Amino acid sequence: MRNGWPRGVTLIHVTGITAMLSASAHAAVHQLFDLAAEHGALVSFDPNVRRKLGAATQWRETVGPLLKRAHLVFAGSDELEELTGMPADVAASRLLSDAAHSVIVKRPDHSVTLLTRDGQWSQPTRAAAVVDPVGAGDALAAGFLSARLGSRPPDEALEAGVAAAHVVGAVLDNEGLPNARELAAAPATAHPSAPIDR
């Protein structure tokens, strides 16, 4: 570790749940974001809204500002709307004007859209059936981040994330996850979408 930062760490993934646990946990998340910025690490963030932890206004006040500090955002369209008070695609566009260079929006129909400053891609779900939805969002993030850390382009990273989200077709949240070889072989079938206004 150097100055309290693990050597070689270039990306961290954070959930909004941590910030909602307590005032000290909220402060710790902001400090983590500060440390990442100080050491040139990217911050990946999933708000992971869980209503048991607080009302919509509490989530917006506590977690909403963290969206603006993240470089990669994974969020449901409903979460973006709830946390920003704007339609999901408008919110994503605004985030791309802040720190974010990638916003991955999970849609109600289980499709996923990746929006970047250079374009956007959409990908439908590849799961034939949903057996257990637990862990789908985490698998999507893991597959996407693994591909991006491996220098794969955005459309291929989106496909890798969707391939990893096949976990919904198996019981438990880690059964059915592809291994590194299978993930690397995921075909790039994400298709470009119409550009968004910024």
Short mmCIF file of all heavy atoms in Angstrom, two decimals, residues 26-101:
data_model
loop_
_atom_site.label_atom_id
_atom_site.label_comp_id
_atom_site.label_asym_id
_atom_site.label_seq_id
_atom_site.Cartn_x
_atom_site.Cartn_y
_atom_site.Cartn_z
N HIS A 26 -21.46 6.67 5.12
CA HIS A 26 -21.60 7.65 4.04
C HIS A 26 -20.31 8.45 3.89
O HIS A 26 -19.81 8.65 2.77
CB HIS A 26 -22.78 8.57 4.35
CG HIS A 26 -23.04 9.62 3.33
ND1 HIS A 26 -23.32 10.92 3.66
CD2 HIS A 26 -23.02 9.56 1.98
CE1 HIS A 26 -23.48 11.63 2.55
NE2 HIS A 26 -23.32 10.83 1.52
N ALA A 27 -19.76 8.90 5.00
CA ALA A 27 -18.51 9.66 4.97
C ALA A 27 -17.37 8.80 4.43
O ALA A 27 -16.51 9.29 3.68
CB ALA A 27 -18.18 10.17 6.37
N ALA A 28 -17.37 7.53 4.81
CA ALA A 28 -16.30 6.62 4.36
C ALA A 28 -16.35 6.43 2.85
O ALA A 28 -15.31 6.35 2.19
CB ALA A 28 -16.43 5.27 5.07
N VAL A 29 -17.56 6.36 2.28
CA VAL A 29 -17.68 6.21 0.83
C VAL A 29 -17.13 7.44 0.11
O VAL A 29 -16.39 7.33 -0.87
CB VAL A 29 -19.15 5.95 0.42
CG1 VAL A 29 -19.31 6.03 -1.10
CG2 VAL A 29 -19.61 4.59 0.93
N HIS A 30 -17.45 8.62 0.62
CA HIS A 30 -16.92 9.84 0.01
C HIS A 30 -15.39 9.88 0.13
O HIS A 30 -14.69 10.30 -0.80
CB HIS A 30 -17.54 11.09 0.65
CG HIS A 30 -18.85 11.46 0.05
ND1 HIS A 30 -18.95 12.10 -1.17
CD2 HIS A 30 -20.13 11.27 0.48
CE1 HIS A 30 -20.23 12.30 -1.45
NE2 HIS A 30 -20.96 11.80 -0.48
N GLN A 31 -14.87 9.42 1.26
CA GLN A 31 -13.42 9.38 1.44
C GLN A 31 -12.78 8.40 0.46
O GLN A 31 -11.71 8.66 -0.09
CB GLN A 31 -13.07 8.99 2.88
CG GLN A 31 -11.58 9.05 3.16
CD GLN A 31 -11.25 8.74 4.61
OE1 GLN A 31 -12.08 8.24 5.37
NE2 GLN A 31 -10.03 9.03 5.00
N LEU A 32 -13.46 7.28 0.22
CA LEU A 32 -12.96 6.30 -0.75
C LEU A 32 -12.91 6.91 -2.14
O LEU A 32 -11.94 6.73 -2.89
CB LEU A 32 -13.86 5.05 -0.74
CG LEU A 32 -13.49 3.93 -1.71
CD1 LEU A 32 -12.08 3.40 -1.43
CD2 LEU A 32 -14.52 2.81 -1.64
N PHE A 33 -13.95 7.65 -2.50
CA PHE A 33 -13.97 8.34 -3.80
C PHE A 33 -12.81 9.33 -3.88
O PHE A 33 -12.16 9.45 -4.92
CB PHE A 33 -15.30 9.08 -3.99
CG PHE A 33 -16.43 8.23 -4.53
CD1 PHE A 33 -16.74 7.00 -3.97
CD2 PHE A 33 -17.21 8.69 -5.58
CE1 PHE A 33 -17.79 6.24 -4.45
CE2 PHE A 33 -18.26 7.93 -6.07
CZ PHE A 33 -18.56 6.71 -5.51
N ASP A 34 -12.56 10.04 -2.78
CA ASP A 34 -11.45 11.01 -2.74
C ASP A 34 -10.11 10.31 -2.94
O ASP A 34 -9.25 10.78 -3.70
CB ASP A 34 -11.43 11.76 -1.41
CG ASP A 34 -12.61 12.70 -1.23
OD1 ASP A 34 -13.25 13.08 -2.23
OD2 ASP A 34 -12.89 13.07 -0.06
N LEU A 35 -9.92 9.18 -2.25
CA LEU A 35 -8.67 8.43 -2.38
C LEU A 35 -8.48 7.90 -3.80
O LEU A 35 -7.37 7.92 -4.33
CB LEU A 35 -8.65 7.26 -1.38
CG LEU A 35 -8.34 7.61 0.07
CD1 LEU A 35 -8.63 6.40 0.98
CD2 LEU A 35 -6.88 8.02 0.20
N ALA A 36 -9.57 7.44 -4.40
CA ALA A 36 -9.48 6.94 -5.77
C ALA A 36 -9.04 8.06 -6.70
O ALA A 36 -8.17 7.86 -7.56
CB ALA A 36 -10.83 6.38 -6.22
N ALA A 37 -9.61 9.24 -6.53
CA ALA A 37 -9.23 10.38 -7.37
C ALA A 37 -7.77 10.75 -7.15
O ALA A 37 -7.03 11.03 -8.11
CB ALA A 37 -10.13 11.58 -7.06
N GLU A 38 -7.34 10.72 -5.90
CA GLU A 38 -5.96 11.07 -5.56
C GLU A 38 -4.96 10.11 -6.21
O GLU A 38 -3.86 10.52 -6.59
CB GLU A 38 -5.80 11.04 -4.04
CG GLU A 38 -4.44 11.41 -3.52
CD GLU A 38 -4.35 11.32 -2.00
OE1 GLU A 38 -5.41 11.44 -1.33
OE2 GLU A 38 -3.24 11.12 -1.49
N HIS A 39 -5.36 8.84 -6.37
CA HIS A 39 -4.44 7.84 -6.90
C HIS A 39 -4.75 7.45 -8.35
O HIS A 39 -4.23 6.46 -8.86
CB HIS A 39 -4.44 6.60 -6.00
CG HIS A 39 -3.87 6.88 -4.64
ND1 HIS A 39 -2.51 6.94 -4.41
CD2 HIS A 39 -4.47 7.18 -3.47
CE1 HIS A 39 -2.31 7.24 -3.13
NE2 HIS A 39 -3.47 7.38 -2.54
N GLY A 40 -5.60 8.24 -9.00
CA GLY A 40 -5.88 8.01 -10.41
C GLY A 40 -6.67 6.76 -10.73
O GLY A 40 -6.58 6.23 -11.84
N ALA A 41 -7.44 6.27 -9.77
CA ALA A 41 -8.24 5.06 -9.99
C ALA A 41 -9.65 5.44 -10.44
O ALA A 41 -10.19 6.47 -10.05
CB ALA A 41 -8.31 4.23 -8.72
N LEU A 42 -10.22 4.60 -11.28
CA LEU A 42 -11.59 4.81 -11.72
C LEU A 42 -12.56 4.31 -10.65
O LEU A 42 -12.27 3.35 -9.93
CB LEU A 42 -11.85 4.05 -13.03
CG LEU A 42 -11.04 4.48 -14.25
CD1 LEU A 42 -11.34 3.55 -15.42
CD2 LEU A 42 -11.34 5.93 -14.61
N VAL A 43 -13.73 4.97 -10.59
CA VAL A 43 -14.77 4.55 -9.66
C VAL A 43 -15.97 4.05 -10.46
O VAL A 43 -16.53 4.76 -11.29
CB VAL A 43 -15.22 5.71 -8.75
CG1 VAL A 43 -16.40 5.29 -7.89
CG2 VAL A 43 -14.06 6.19 -7.88
N SER A 44 -16.33 2.80 -10.21
CA SER A 44 -17.54 2.20 -10.78
C SER A 44 -18.58 2.20 -9.66
O SER A 44 -18.28 1.87 -8.51
CB SER A 44 -17.22 0.77 -11.23
OG SER A 44 -18.40 0.08 -11.56
N PHE A 45 -19.82 2.58 -10.01
CA PHE A 45 -20.83 2.77 -8.96
C PHE A 45 -22.18 2.22 -9.39
O PHE A 45 -22.65 2.49 -10.49
CB PHE A 45 -20.95 4.26 -8.64
CG PHE A 45 -21.88 4.57 -7.50
CD1 PHE A 45 -21.58 4.18 -6.21
CD2 PHE A 45 -23.07 5.26 -7.72
CE1 PHE A 45 -22.44 4.46 -5.15
CE2 PHE A 45 -23.93 5.55 -6.68
CZ PHE A 45 -23.62 5.15 -5.39
N ASP A 46 -22.79 1.45 -8.50
CA ASP A 46 -24.14 0.94 -8.68
C ASP A 46 -24.95 1.41 -7.47
O ASP A 46 -24.67 1.00 -6.34
CB ASP A 46 -24.14 -0.59 -8.75
CG ASP A 46 -25.51 -1.18 -9.06
OD1 ASP A 46 -26.53 -0.50 -8.83
OD2 ASP A 46 -25.57 -2.32 -9.53
N PRO A 47 -25.96 2.27 -7.67
CA PRO A 47 -26.71 2.78 -6.51
C PRO A 47 -27.41 1.67 -5.73
O PRO A 47 -27.57 1.77 -4.52
CB PRO A 47 -27.72 3.75 -7.13
CG PRO A 47 -27.77 3.42 -8.58
CD PRO A 47 -26.41 2.86 -8.92
N ASN A 48 -27.85 0.61 -6.43
CA ASN A 48 -28.43 -0.54 -5.75
C ASN A 48 -29.51 -0.14 -4.75
O ASN A 48 -29.48 -0.53 -3.57
CB ASN A 48 -27.33 -1.32 -5.02
CG ASN A 48 -27.21 -2.75 -5.50
OD1 ASN A 48 -28.21 -3.38 -5.80
ND2 ASN A 48 -25.99 -3.23 -5.57
N VAL A 49 -30.48 0.64 -5.19
CA VAL A 49 -31.52 1.16 -4.30
C VAL A 49 -32.28 0.03 -3.62
O VAL A 49 -32.80 -0.88 -4.29
CB VAL A 49 -32.49 2.07 -5.08
CG1 VAL A 49 -33.65 2.49 -4.20
CG2 VAL A 49 -31.75 3.29 -5.61
N ARG A 50 -32.31 0.09 -2.31
CA ARG A 50 -33.06 -0.86 -1.49
C ARG A 50 -33.94 -0.06 -0.54
O ARG A 50 -33.44 0.59 0.38
CB ARG A 50 -32.11 -1.77 -0.69
CG ARG A 50 -31.23 -2.66 -1.55
CD ARG A 50 -32.04 -3.72 -2.28
NE ARG A 50 -31.19 -4.62 -3.07
CZ ARG A 50 -30.84 -4.42 -4.32
NH1 ARG A 50 -31.26 -3.33 -4.96
NH2 ARG A 50 -30.10 -5.29 -4.98
N ARG A 51 -35.24 -0.09 -0.76
CA ARG A 51 -36.16 0.75 -0.02
C ARG A 51 -36.18 0.46 1.49
O ARG A 51 -36.55 1.31 2.28
CB ARG A 51 -37.57 0.59 -0.58
CG ARG A 51 -37.78 1.41 -1.85
CD ARG A 51 -37.71 2.92 -1.51
NE ARG A 51 -37.79 3.74 -2.69
CZ ARG A 51 -38.90 3.94 -3.39
NH1 ARG A 51 -40.03 3.32 -3.07
NH2 ARG A 51 -38.88 4.72 -4.44
N LYS A 52 -35.77 -0.72 1.89
CA LYS A 52 -35.74 -1.03 3.31
C LYS A 52 -34.76 -0.14 4.06
O LYS A 52 -34.85 0.02 5.28
CB LYS A 52 -35.36 -2.50 3.54
CG LYS A 52 -36.44 -3.48 3.11
CD LYS A 52 -36.02 -4.91 3.42
CE LYS A 52 -37.11 -5.89 3.03
NZ LYS A 52 -36.73 -7.30 3.32
N LEU A 53 -33.81 0.44 3.34
CA LEU A 53 -32.78 1.27 3.98
C LEU A 53 -33.15 2.74 4.07
O LEU A 53 -32.43 3.51 4.71
CB LEU A 53 -31.45 1.12 3.23
CG LEU A 53 -30.82 -0.27 3.28
CD1 LEU A 53 -29.57 -0.30 2.40
CD2 LEU A 53 -30.45 -0.64 4.71
N GLY A 54 -34.23 3.15 3.42
CA GLY A 54 -34.61 4.55 3.50
C GLY A 54 -35.63 4.92 2.44
O GLY A 54 -35.82 4.22 1.45
N ALA A 55 -36.27 6.06 2.66
CA ALA A 55 -37.27 6.57 1.72
C ALA A 55 -36.59 7.12 0.48
O ALA A 55 -35.37 7.34 0.46
CB ALA A 55 -38.10 7.66 2.39
N ALA A 56 -37.38 7.37 -0.56
CA ALA A 56 -36.85 7.87 -1.83
C ALA A 56 -36.07 9.17 -1.63
O ALA A 56 -35.01 9.37 -2.25
CB ALA A 56 -37.99 8.08 -2.82
N THR A 57 -36.57 10.06 -0.76
CA THR A 57 -35.87 11.33 -0.55
C THR A 57 -34.51 11.12 0.10
O THR A 57 -33.55 11.82 -0.23
CB THR A 57 -36.71 12.28 0.34
OG1 THR A 57 -37.09 11.59 1.54
CG2 THR A 57 -37.96 12.74 -0.39
N GLN A 58 -34.41 10.16 1.01
CA GLN A 58 -33.13 9.85 1.65
C GLN A 58 -32.13 9.31 0.63
O GLN A 58 -30.95 9.68 0.64
CB GLN A 58 -33.33 8.83 2.77
CG GLN A 58 -34.09 9.37 3.97
CD GLN A 58 -34.38 8.25 4.97
OE1 GLN A 58 -35.23 7.40 4.75
NE2 GLN A 58 -33.62 8.24 6.06
N TRP A 59 -32.60 8.45 -0.26
CA TRP A 59 -31.73 7.91 -1.29
C TRP A 59 -31.25 9.03 -2.21
O TRP A 59 -30.07 9.09 -2.57
CB TRP A 59 -32.45 6.83 -2.10
CG TRP A 59 -32.40 5.49 -1.44
CD1 TRP A 59 -33.32 4.96 -0.58
CD2 TRP A 59 -31.36 4.52 -1.56
NE1 TRP A 59 -32.91 3.71 -0.16
CE2 TRP A 59 -31.72 3.41 -0.75
CE3 TRP A 59 -30.17 4.46 -2.27
CZ2 TRP A 59 -30.92 2.28 -0.63
CZ3 TRP A 59 -29.36 3.33 -2.17
CH2 TRP A 59 -29.75 2.26 -1.35
N ARG A 60 -32.16 9.92 -2.58
CA ARG A 60 -31.77 11.00 -3.49
C ARG A 60 -30.74 11.91 -2.84
O ARG A 60 -29.76 12.31 -3.47
CB ARG A 60 -33.00 11.81 -3.90
CG ARG A 60 -32.67 12.90 -4.91
CD ARG A 60 -33.89 13.67 -5.35
NE ARG A 60 -34.81 12.83 -6.11
CZ ARG A 60 -35.90 13.30 -6.72
NH1 ARG A 60 -36.20 14.58 -6.65
NH2 ARG A 60 -36.68 12.49 -7.39
N GLU A 61 -30.93 12.23 -1.56
CA GLU A 61 -30.01 13.14 -0.87
C GLU A 61 -28.66 12.49 -0.57
O GLU A 61 -27.61 13.14 -0.64
CB GLU A 61 -30.65 13.62 0.45
CG GLU A 61 -31.84 14.52 0.24
CD GLU A 61 -32.61 14.78 1.54
OE1 GLU A 61 -32.18 14.26 2.60
OE2 GLU A 61 -33.65 15.46 1.48
N THR A 62 -28.67 11.21 -0.24
CA THR A 62 -27.45 10.52 0.18
C THR A 62 -26.67 9.92 -0.97
O THR A 62 -25.44 10.06 -1.06
CB THR A 62 -27.79 9.41 1.21
OG1 THR A 62 -28.48 10.00 2.31
CG2 THR A 62 -26.53 8.72 1.72
N VAL A 63 -27.37 9.25 -1.87
CA VAL A 63 -26.72 8.50 -2.94
C VAL A 63 -26.68 9.29 -4.25
O VAL A 63 -25.74 9.14 -5.04
CB VAL A 63 -27.41 7.14 -3.13
CG1 VAL A 63 -26.84 6.37 -4.31
CG2 VAL A 63 -27.27 6.31 -1.85
N GLY A 64 -27.66 10.13 -4.48
CA GLY A 64 -27.71 10.91 -5.71
C GLY A 64 -26.41 11.63 -6.04
O GLY A 64 -25.90 11.53 -7.16
N PRO A 65 -25.80 12.36 -5.07
CA PRO A 65 -24.54 13.06 -5.36
C PRO A 65 -23.38 12.14 -5.74
O PRO A 65 -22.46 12.56 -6.44
CB PRO A 65 -24.25 13.80 -4.05
CG PRO A 65 -25.59 13.98 -3.41
CD PRO A 65 -26.34 12.72 -3.76
N LEU A 66 -23.42 10.88 -5.29
CA LEU A 66 -22.34 9.95 -5.61
C LEU A 66 -22.34 9.59 -7.09
O LEU A 66 -21.29 9.30 -7.68
CB LEU A 66 -22.45 8.68 -4.75
CG LEU A 66 -22.21 8.88 -3.25
CD1 LEU A 66 -22.61 7.63 -2.48
CD2 LEU A 66 -20.75 9.24 -2.99
N LEU A 67 -23.53 9.60 -7.71
CA LEU A 67 -23.61 9.32 -9.14
C LEU A 67 -22.72 10.27 -9.93
O LEU A 67 -22.07 9.88 -10.89
CB LEU A 67 -25.05 9.47 -9.63
CG LEU A 67 -26.07 8.41 -9.22
CD1 LEU A 67 -27.46 8.85 -9.66
CD2 LEU A 67 -25.74 7.07 -9.83
N LYS A 68 -22.71 11.54 -9.51
CA LYS A 68 -21.97 12.57 -10.25
C LYS A 68 -20.46 12.43 -10.10
O LYS A 68 -19.71 13.04 -10.86
CB LYS A 68 -22.40 13.95 -9.76
CG LYS A 68 -23.86 14.26 -10.00
CD LYS A 68 -24.22 15.63 -9.47
CE LYS A 68 -25.68 15.94 -9.70
NZ LYS A 68 -26.05 17.28 -9.22
N ARG A 69 -20.02 11.63 -9.15
CA ARG A 69 -18.58 11.47 -8.92
C ARG A 69 -18.02 10.20 -9.56
O ARG A 69 -16.81 10.03 -9.60
CB ARG A 69 -18.30 11.43 -7.41
CG ARG A 69 -18.75 12.67 -6.65
CD ARG A 69 -18.21 12.65 -5.23
NE ARG A 69 -16.74 12.69 -5.23
CZ ARG A 69 -15.99 12.53 -4.14
NH1 ARG A 69 -16.56 12.29 -2.96
NH2 ARG A 69 -14.68 12.57 -4.22
N ALA A 70 -18.88 9.33 -10.06
CA ALA A 70 -18.44 8.03 -10.59
C ALA A 70 -18.05 8.13 -12.06
O ALA A 70 -18.61 8.92 -12.82
CB ALA A 70 -19.54 7.00 -10.41
N HIS A 71 -17.10 7.29 -12.46
CA HIS A 71 -16.66 7.23 -13.85
C HIS A 71 -17.48 6.23 -14.66
O HIS A 71 -17.66 6.41 -15.86
CB HIS A 71 -15.18 6.83 -13.91
CG HIS A 71 -14.29 7.76 -13.15
ND1 HIS A 71 -13.71 7.41 -11.95
CD2 HIS A 71 -13.92 9.05 -13.40
CE1 HIS A 71 -12.99 8.44 -11.51
NE2 HIS A 71 -13.10 9.43 -12.36
N LEU A 72 -17.92 5.16 -14.00
CA LEU A 72 -18.79 4.17 -14.63
C LEU A 72 -20.00 4.00 -13.72
O LEU A 72 -19.84 3.79 -12.51
CB LEU A 72 -18.10 2.83 -14.80
CG LEU A 72 -16.83 2.80 -15.64
CD1 LEU A 72 -15.60 2.82 -14.73
CD2 LEU A 72 -16.78 1.55 -16.51
N VAL A 73 -21.19 4.09 -14.28
CA VAL A 73 -22.41 3.99 -13.50
C VAL A 73 -23.25 2.83 -14.04
O VAL A 73 -23.49 2.74 -15.25
CB VAL A 73 -23.24 5.29 -13.55
CG1 VAL A 73 -24.59 5.11 -12.84
CG2 VAL A 73 -22.46 6.45 -12.94
N PHE A 74 -23.67 1.95 -13.14
CA PHE A 74 -24.60 0.86 -13.47
C PHE A 74 -25.89 1.14 -12.71
O PHE A 74 -25.87 1.17 -11.47
CB PHE A 74 -24.05 -0.49 -13.01
CG PHE A 74 -22.80 -0.93 -13.70
CD1 PHE A 74 -21.55 -0.49 -13.28
CD2 PHE A 74 -22.86 -1.79 -14.80
CE1 PHE A 74 -20.39 -0.90 -13.92
CE2 PHE A 74 -21.70 -2.20 -15.44
CZ PHE A 74 -20.46 -1.75 -15.01
N ALA A 75 -26.99 1.37 -13.40
CA ALA A 75 -28.22 1.70 -12.69
C ALA A 75 -29.44 1.31 -13.50
O ALA A 75 -29.43 1.36 -14.73
CB ALA A 75 -28.27 3.19 -12.38
N GLY A 76 -30.49 0.94 -12.80
CA GLY A 76 -31.77 0.70 -13.45
C GLY A 76 -32.34 2.04 -13.89
O GLY A 76 -32.07 3.08 -13.29
N SER A 77 -33.14 2.03 -14.95
CA SER A 77 -33.74 3.27 -15.42
C SER A 77 -34.60 3.89 -14.32
O SER A 77 -34.62 5.11 -14.15
CB SER A 77 -34.58 3.01 -16.67
OG SER A 77 -35.55 2.01 -16.45
N ASP A 78 -35.28 3.05 -13.53
CA ASP A 78 -36.10 3.57 -12.43
C ASP A 78 -35.23 4.20 -11.34
O ASP A 78 -35.61 5.21 -10.74
CB ASP A 78 -36.97 2.46 -11.84
CG ASP A 78 -36.16 1.25 -11.36
OD1 ASP A 78 -35.04 1.03 -11.87
OD2 ASP A 78 -36.66 0.52 -10.48
N GLU A 79 -34.05 3.63 -11.10
CA GLU A 79 -33.15 4.20 -10.10
C GLU A 79 -32.63 5.57 -10.54
O GLU A 79 -32.58 6.51 -9.73
CB GLU A 79 -31.96 3.26 -9.86
CG GLU A 79 -32.34 1.95 -9.20
CD GLU A 79 -31.16 1.01 -9.06
OE1 GLU A 79 -30.38 0.86 -10.03
OE2 GLU A 79 -31.01 0.41 -7.97
N LEU A 80 -32.26 5.68 -11.80
CA LEU A 80 -31.79 6.97 -12.30
C LEU A 80 -32.87 8.04 -12.17
O LEU A 80 -32.61 9.18 -11.77
CB LEU A 80 -31.35 6.86 -13.76
CG LEU A 80 -30.00 6.19 -14.02
CD1 LEU A 80 -29.75 6.08 -15.52
CD2 LEU A 80 -28.87 6.96 -13.35
N GLU A 81 -34.09 7.66 -12.51
CA GLU A 81 -35.20 8.61 -12.41
C GLU A 81 -35.46 9.01 -10.96
O GLU A 81 -35.66 10.18 -10.65
CB GLU A 81 -36.46 8.00 -13.04
CG GLU A 81 -36.33 7.87 -14.55
CD GLU A 81 -37.45 7.05 -15.18
OE1 GLU A 81 -38.41 6.68 -14.45
OE2 GLU A 81 -37.36 6.77 -16.39
N GLU A 82 -35.42 8.03 -10.06
CA GLU A 82 -35.67 8.30 -8.65
C GLU A 82 -34.58 9.15 -8.02
O GLU A 82 -34.85 10.07 -7.24
CB GLU A 82 -35.80 6.98 -7.89
CG GLU A 82 -36.09 7.14 -6.41
CD GLU A 82 -36.33 5.81 -5.73
OE1 GLU A 82 -37.15 5.02 -6.27
OE2 GLU A 82 -35.71 5.55 -4.69
N LEU A 83 -33.34 8.89 -8.38
CA LEU A 83 -32.21 9.59 -7.75
C LEU A 83 -31.93 10.96 -8.33
O LEU A 83 -31.30 11.80 -7.68
CB LEU A 83 -30.94 8.73 -7.84
CG LEU A 83 -30.97 7.42 -7.06
CD1 LEU A 83 -29.76 6.58 -7.39
CD2 LEU A 83 -31.06 7.68 -5.56
N THR A 84 -32.39 11.20 -9.56
CA THR A 84 -32.10 12.49 -10.21
C THR A 84 -33.34 13.33 -10.48
O THR A 84 -33.23 14.53 -10.73
CB THR A 84 -31.39 12.27 -11.55
OG1 THR A 84 -32.27 11.62 -12.48
CG2 THR A 84 -30.13 11.43 -11.37
N GLY A 85 -34.52 12.71 -10.48
CA GLY A 85 -35.73 13.44 -10.81
C GLY A 85 -35.87 13.73 -12.30
O GLY A 85 -36.68 14.56 -12.71
N MET A 86 -35.08 13.02 -13.12
CA MET A 86 -35.12 13.21 -14.57
C MET A 86 -35.36 11.88 -15.27
O MET A 86 -35.09 10.82 -14.68
CB MET A 86 -33.77 13.77 -15.07
CG MET A 86 -33.44 15.16 -14.57
SD MET A 86 -31.82 15.71 -15.19
CE MET A 86 -30.72 14.89 -14.02
N PRO A 87 -35.85 11.90 -16.53
CA PRO A 87 -35.94 10.65 -17.28
C PRO A 87 -34.56 10.00 -17.36
O PRO A 87 -33.53 10.70 -17.39
CB PRO A 87 -36.43 11.10 -18.67
CG PRO A 87 -37.15 12.39 -18.41
CD PRO A 87 -36.39 13.04 -17.28
N ALA A 88 -34.53 8.68 -17.42
CA ALA A 88 -33.27 7.94 -17.34
C ALA A 88 -32.24 8.38 -18.38
O ALA A 88 -31.07 8.59 -18.05
CB ALA A 88 -33.54 6.44 -17.47
N ASP A 89 -32.64 8.53 -19.64
CA ASP A 89 -31.67 8.89 -20.67
C ASP A 89 -31.17 10.32 -20.52
O ASP A 89 -30.02 10.61 -20.84
CB ASP A 89 -32.26 8.67 -22.07
CG ASP A 89 -32.36 7.19 -22.43
OD1 ASP A 89 -31.62 6.39 -21.82
OD2 ASP A 89 -33.16 6.84 -23.31
N VAL A 90 -32.02 11.20 -20.02
CA VAL A 90 -31.59 12.57 -19.74
C VAL A 90 -30.59 12.56 -18.59
O VAL A 90 -29.54 13.22 -18.64
CB VAL A 90 -32.79 13.49 -19.41
CG1 VAL A 90 -32.30 14.87 -18.98
CG2 VAL A 90 -33.73 13.59 -20.60
N ALA A 91 -30.90 11.77 -17.56
CA ALA A 91 -29.98 11.66 -16.42
C ALA A 91 -28.64 11.09 -16.85
O ALA A 91 -27.58 11.58 -16.44
CB ALA A 91 -30.60 10.77 -15.34
N ALA A 92 -28.66 10.06 -17.71
CA ALA A 92 -27.42 9.47 -18.20
C ALA A 92 -26.60 10.49 -18.97
O ALA A 92 -25.38 10.58 -18.80
CB ALA A 92 -27.73 8.26 -19.08
N SER A 93 -27.26 11.27 -19.79
CA SER A 93 -26.57 12.31 -20.56
C SER A 93 -25.92 13.32 -19.64
O SER A 93 -24.78 13.75 -19.86
CB SER A 93 -27.57 13.00 -21.50
OG SER A 93 -26.93 13.99 -22.27
N ARG A 94 -26.64 13.70 -18.59
CA ARG A 94 -26.08 14.66 -17.62
C ARG A 94 -24.86 14.08 -16.91
O ARG A 94 -23.87 14.77 -16.67
CB ARG A 94 -27.14 15.04 -16.58
CG ARG A 94 -28.31 15.81 -17.13
CD ARG A 94 -27.98 17.28 -17.34
NE ARG A 94 -29.11 18.01 -17.90
CZ ARG A 94 -30.08 18.55 -17.17
NH1 ARG A 94 -30.06 18.45 -15.85
NH2 ARG A 94 -31.07 19.21 -17.75
N LEU A 95 -24.93 12.79 -16.57
CA LEU A 95 -23.79 12.15 -15.89
C LEU A 95 -22.56 12.12 -16.79
O LEU A 95 -21.43 12.26 -16.32
CB LEU A 95 -24.16 10.72 -15.46
CG LEU A 95 -25.19 10.62 -14.32
CD1 LEU A 95 -25.58 9.17 -14.08
CD2 LEU A 95 -24.65 11.26 -13.04
N LEU A 96 -22.79 11.97 -18.10
CA LEU A 96 -21.67 11.98 -19.04
C LEU A 96 -21.06 13.37 -19.17
O LEU A 96 -19.94 13.52 -19.66
CB LEU A 96 -22.14 11.48 -20.41
CG LEU A 96 -22.49 9.99 -20.47
CD1 LEU A 96 -23.14 9.66 -21.81
CD2 LEU A 96 -21.26 9.13 -20.25
N SER A 97 -21.78 14.38 -18.70
CA SER A 97 -21.23 15.74 -18.66
C SER A 97 -20.47 15.98 -17.36
O SER A 97 -19.80 17.00 -17.22
CB SER A 97 -22.35 16.77 -18.82
OG SER A 97 -22.99 16.64 -20.06
N ASP A 98 -20.65 15.07 -16.40
CA ASP A 98 -19.93 15.16 -15.13
C ASP A 98 -18.68 14.28 -15.23
O ASP A 98 -17.92 14.39 -16.17
CB ASP A 98 -20.84 14.72 -13.97
CG ASP A 98 -21.99 15.69 -13.74
OD1 ASP A 98 -21.77 16.90 -13.81
OD2 ASP A 98 -23.13 15.22 -13.51
N ALA A 99 -18.48 13.38 -14.29
CA ALA A 99 -17.28 12.54 -14.28
C ALA A 99 -17.41 11.29 -15.14
O ALA A 99 -16.42 10.74 -15.61
CB ALA A 99 -16.95 12.13 -12.85
N ALA A 100 -18.64 10.83 -15.36
CA ALA A 100 -18.84 9.53 -16.01
C ALA A 100 -18.41 9.52 -17.47
O ALA A 100 -18.62 10.48 -18.20
CB ALA A 100 -20.31 9.13 -15.93
N HIS A 101 -17.78 8.40 -17.87
CA HIS A 101 -17.51 8.18 -19.29
C HIS A 101 -18.32 7.00 -19.81
O HIS A 101 -18.39 6.77 -21.02
CB HIS A 101 -16.02 7.98 -19.57
CG HIS A 101 -15.39 6.85 -18.83
ND1 HIS A 101 -15.72 5.54 -19.05
CD2 HIS A 101 -14.43 6.84 -17.87
CE1 HIS A 101 -14.99 4.75 -18.26
NE2 HIS A 101 -14.21 5.52 -17.53
#
